[in-house]
Amino acid sequence: MSKHYVFVANWKMQLSYAQTILYCRKNHQELKALAALPHIQQLIICPTMPAINAVKDLMQDTSVLLGAQDCSCFSAGPYTGEVSAKSLAEIGCAYCLVGHSERRIFFGETDARAAQKIDELLNEKIVPILCVGETYQEYCSGLTQTVLENHLRALTENIRAQNRIVNQLLCAYEPIWAVGTGIVAVPEVIEPVLRFMHAWFLRECPQIQKVTCLYGGSLDEKNIQKMISIKELDGFLVGGASLDFQKFKNMLSYGL
Ligand code: PGA
């Protein structure tokens, strides 16, 4: 196997602080070994916000990297409940999810807000993981690319307007109909979408020097094997299956 994949584990609000620490303590040695496997480019864990610091300490002798699940679109100020990108950087977050469909659906996150958050993250040298994806209805109506264009336009216009050079962006195709549903998109669906995304970034925003395209949505240790046929795929965003360590381990070790 010649490819090196990025794995992002999104633990959402599934584990409490104590459960997160327990998971990491229990599986520390194995996570260390898995993160060092030659086909794993990066293993990024996105735990619940209050646990990021503690997980970072627990994983300090490993190559596991830490990500947040969200950040504020503001730098600092009277924004009760918000967490700034600066604070995330200070506690050692290297990555941060932005625009996850659950944030869009339950918290009204817009493309413009996601673009502002990415600005904040880039100012702090945190690599954004932008999530994009269409609803089932949009998928059935052939609107996938239109939806993705809208997700990407706000971001690329912003970067162009600022004349900013961006070292790296992770972009995860996460069809809403596949996230947490048990319905995984097939390679025939994913491949043209990733091709479209790569072409979009190249054409619309060459200021982004490296775009890493991920797929996420109901991945598990069985269906991940089918994904290696996808040329444009650089990695995976795993929700539910990453909470079950045995499943996650299988995905990381012999899934590919
Ligand atoms: P899932 O979640 O793997 O449970 O579908 C993926 C995600 O939300 O990032």
Side-chain angles (χ1 to χ4, degrees):
M1 213 217 16
S2 54
K3 231 169 149 173
H4 296 204
Y5 289 99
V6 173
F7 278 82
V8 184
N10 176 14
W11 289 349
K12 313 190 181 190
M13 204 176 70
Q14 302 283 20
L15 301 179
S16 70
Y17 173 83
Q19 289 168 329
T20 304
I21 303 306
L22 195 66
Y23 180 111
C24 293
R25 282 223 172 97
K26 224 166 111 190
N27 304 309
H28 168 266
Q29 282 308 319
E30 288 191 272
L31 282 168
K32 181 176 176 170
L34 290 164
L37 287 173
H39 67 275
I40 297 191
Q41 198 184 112
Q42 255 111 39
L43 173 53
I44 302 158
I45 294 180
C46 303
T48 185
M49 194 79 90
I52 293 175
N53 219 352
V55 174
K56 168 99 174 107
D57 285 349
L58 279 170
M59 294 293 156
Q60 64 174 342
D61 65 333
T62 76
S63 49
V64 173
L65 295 167
L66 268 295
Q69 298 173 18
D70 188 33
C71 74
S72 179
C73 62
F74 301 109
S75 305
Y79 304 107
T80 303
E82 291 287 274
V83 176
S84 68
K86 188 175 170 61
S87 289
L88 294 177
E90 285 170 356
I91 61 166
C93 259
Y95 294 84
C96 182
L97 297 171
V98 179
H100 189 282
S101 56
E102 287 151 12
R103 300 252 17 123
R104 295 178 192 268
I105 293 165
F106 299 117
F107 304 98
E109 180 142 327
T110 61
D111 293 320
R113 268 286 142 91
Q116 285 176 301
K117 290 182 179 188
I118 289 177
D119 255 354
E120 291 296 320
L121 293 169
L122 294 173
N123 288 341
E124 298 300 331
K125 304 202 172 7
I126 295 175
V127 178
I129 308 172
L130 175 67
C131 302
V132 296
E134 79 289 6
T135 63
Y136 186 63
Q137 220 175 6
E138 288 161 345
Y139 168 71
C140 293
S141 314
L143 291 172
T144 302
Q145 290 198 2
T146 311
V147 172
L148 264 52
E149 267 177 25
N150 290 334
H151 286 328
L152 300 180
R153 190 170 293 118
L155 162 70
T156 51
E157 276 175 1
N158 206 21
I159 290 173
R160 274 208 315 267
Q162 294 178 38
N163 226 353
R164 196 197 259 283
I165 299 293
V166 177
N167 291 336
Q168 196 191 2
L169 173 82
L170 271 62
C171 190
Y173 172 48
E174 292 217 308
I176 294 171
W177 46 272
V179 173
T181 59
I183 303 165
V184 68
V186 293
E188 293 72 25
V189 169
I190 300 169
E191 184 147 35
V193 173
L194 299 192
R195 210 177 302 133
F196 161 78
M197 282 179 2
H198 271 299
W200 168 279
F201 282 114
L202 207 65
R203 192 181 65 241
E204 302 289 329
C205 203
Q207 290 89 338
I208 306 176
Q209 294 178 328
K210 184 175 176 202
V211 177
T212 301
C213 284
L214 314 179
Y215 167 78
S218 296
L219 282 165
D220 62 26
E221 78 258 62
K222 293 190 190 83
N223 60 37
I224 199 169
Q225 297 177 32
K226 298 197 185 100
M227 304 297 172
I228 50 168
S229 64
I230 306 172
K231 256 206 353 250
E232 291 77 5
L233 185 65
D234 306 310
F236 307 94
L237 179 44
V238 189
S242 66
L243 296 167
D244 177 329
F245 184 69
Q246 201 50 48
K247 273 193 193 165
F248 193 41
K249 182 180 157 184
N250 289 344
M251 292 174 85
L252 290 160
S253 48
Y254 2 85
L256 300 167

